[in-house]
Amino acid sequence: DAVKGKEEQVRRDFSERLFPFIQRILLADTTVSGEEAEEVTFGEYVRFFGLFWSRTLALPVPLAGGQWIEMDSLVPGLDFANHSSREANGRWQVDSRGNVRLYATASLLRGQQVYITYGDRSNEQLMFQYGFAEEDNPHDSLMIHCVPLAEKMFDASEREVGGSRDREMWHARLHLAEQKGLPLR
C-alpha cells in the first residue's frame, strides 16, 4: 500500500504540477516546438526523481541572522559516501560559511570505502528515499498506519442511525478514548 501510495503521489505531482510547468517553460522558448514540449514523459520524471532523491541529504543551510534551516541537498562528492549505521568511518559537517566538509572518524587505508550515516532511519525510510535496506539495521522499526480512531468508533450502520442513543454512545466512547490518551485524528 505504501509503495502504491507513493507512486500515485509521484504521478499526481507530475501530471498536476510539474508537467504543466515544464510545458509553459518549453513553450515560452522560441527554439522549442510544441511537439518537443509534449515529449517530457512520466518515465523520465520517475528516473530523475529516483536519481535525485537517492543522492540527497538533509543539510543545515545558513540563513541571515544566524538561523539555519534543513534542506534536501545534492553535494557533489559527498554522494559517493555510502550509508552504514554500524560501520560509519566518516562524517560530514557544515561549517559556518555553509561549506560541507567530509571528515574521517577512523584511520582509513588507501582505497577503503568511506561510510557515513544518513541518520537513524528505519529500513522503510532507507528503501523509500535511497532504494536499499540495511541488514541488521539497529534503527529498523515497523510502521503501522492506522485509520483515525474517531472515524472507526462506530461501524457504518451505527453512524447512519443517528438516534440519541447513538450520540450518547459516541460521546461515551470519545470520552473514554480521551481518558486513555488515544489519538483521535
Side-chain angles (χ1 to χ4, degrees), residues 47-68:
R47 187 165 51 106
F48 288 109
F49 180 90
L51 184 69
F52 173 79
W53 284 108
S54 68
R55 288 167 172 72
T56 62
L57 287 173
L59 297 179
V61 176
L63 298 175
Q67 293 181 321
W68 295 73

Side-chain angles (χ1 to χ4, degrees), residues 108-144:
L108 298 173
L109 301 173
R110 176 179 279 239
Q112 184 177 349
Q113 171 70 51
V114 175
Y115 292 102
I116 60 174
T117 178
Y118 296 172
D120 297 345
R121 297 179 186 261
S122 69
N123 277 337
E124 180 183 29
Q125 292 169 309
L126 290 172
M127 182 58 74
F128 267 100
Q129 181 148 9
Y130 301 106
F132 70 90
E134 187 175 27
E135 191 172 333
D136 298 322
N137 182 349
H139 309 291
D140 201 12
S141 61
L142 175 63
M143 189 176 296
I144 300 173

Side-chain angles (χ1 to χ4, degrees), residues 3-14:
V3 172
K4 191 176 283 187
K6 184 66 171 179
E7 183 180 324
E8 289 170 5
Q9 176 201 346
V10 170
R11 188 174 295 280
R12 197 171 40 253
D13 286 348
F14 175 76

